Amino acid sequence: MSIYEPEDYKEVINRIRNKLDENNIKMGECVSEEAIAAFENRCKIRLPEAYRLFLKNVGNGCDSMIDGCCLKRLEDIEQKDLSWPFMLEEFWLWEEDDREEDIINEEMETKVYQGEIELINLGCGMSYNLIVSGKCRGEVWNFTDVGVQPCCERQDFLGWFELWLDCQDETDYFKDYVYE
């Protein structure tokens, strides 16, 4: 399971730094506590600790990650009120939801598209987002134009990033979600 405990963060961050060096992957400059706090104040939340530590000790975005797409820098993330919680705990494919479209759209607005920040935009309506408020706070989820789901076994930011470092474009973020 790759949702790390706070006491493991230092070790995981050191491991990530070593893997970045081994793979010659360059990160953006680290972010100061003041810049993180300013972002949090504007967005009315506190970022998950694993992500905060990553920004301060590893780096702020990178130019090529999943399928050549970039990990967003903190300053490039939309700054809006993020205090309304992300309400889902399990995947939801609204494309297969038989309820009326108005009900689905309202639930998407009040349950899905709040309390999350986009980390990587893959195009074609697909992205990886960090949940910043709600029960799944700290987890990275896959967002698409047809639904949302946690990444493979549930991943916090450090687990998600380390999995990518280990497997890069061969990472199977959908291994636990086989739809029939």
Side-chain angles (χ1 to χ4, degrees):
M1 177 178 223
S2 293
I3 294 182
Y4 293 110
E5 296 297 326
E7 60 267 14
D8 298 327
Y9 290 165
K10 185 177 180 179
E11 177 186 334
V12 175
I13 284 173
N14 286 334
R15 210 169 45 231
I16 286 173
R17 277 196 197 128
N18 289 335
K19 291 175 184 183
L20 286 166
D21 288 343
E22 289 168 8
N23 289 290
N24 201 29
I25 297 170
K26 302 294 182 215
M27 300 297 298
E29 286 189 35
C30 292
V31 181
S32 69
E33 176 62 34
E34 294 77 19
I36 293 170
F39 176 89
E40 292 172 332
N41 287 335
R42 285 189 295 275
C43 296
K44 301 178 183 177
I45 51 104
R46 180 171 172 88
L47 292 169
E49 197 61 26
Y51 184 59
R52 292 178 106 258
L53 291 170
F54 182 89
L55 291 170
K56 291 189 325 187
N57 298 293
V58 178
N60 185 19
C62 68
D63 291 331
S64 184
M65 196 173 156
I66 298 172
D67 293 330
C69 296
C70 66
L71 176 64
K72 286 188 175 184
R73 290 167 173 73
L74 187 63
E75 58 271 19
D76 296 332
I77 293 172
E78 182 181 1
Q79 296 183 26
K80 60 183 181 180
D81 183 351
L82 296 169
S83 63
W84 293 94
F86 179 81
M87 299 296 289
L88 297 182
E89 294 178 49
E90 299 297 328
F91 76 92
W92 179 29
L93 291 176
W94 47 79
E95 183 178 69
E96 295 181 1
D97 197 319
D98 293 331
R99 295 177 295 163
E100 291 182 34
E101 188 174 333
D102 289 346
I103 293 170
I104 293 170
N105 289 337
E106 182 179 325
E107 282 197 22
M108 286 168 56
E109 202 59 38
T110 60
K111 291 185 176 182
V112 178
Y113 292 107
Q114 58 189 27
E116 48 77 26
I117 59 175
E118 185 178 86
L119 297 171
I120 294 179
N121 183 332
L122 297 170
C124 298
M126 188 179 205
S127 64
Y128 289 102
N129 297 35
L130 176 64
I131 309 306
V132 297
S133 59
K135 289 186 178 180
C136 294
R137 183 178 187 274
E139 293 181 11
V140 176
W141 282 49
N142 177 249
F143 280 54
T144 71
D145 57 345
V146 298
V148 295
Q149 69 181 36
C151 289
C152 41
E153 70 180 69
R154 292 184 182 265
Q155 302 283 326
D156 66 7
F157 178 82
L158 294 175
W160 173 79
F161 193 83
E162 187 173 32
L163 180 62
W164 172 75
L165 283 172
D166 291 343
C167 303
Q168 299 201 16
D169 287 341
E170 302 301 315
T171 305
D172 184 0
Y173 291 108
F174 307 100
K175 68 182 178 94
D176 293 339
Y177 297 93
V178 178
Y179 305 108
E180 298 175 14

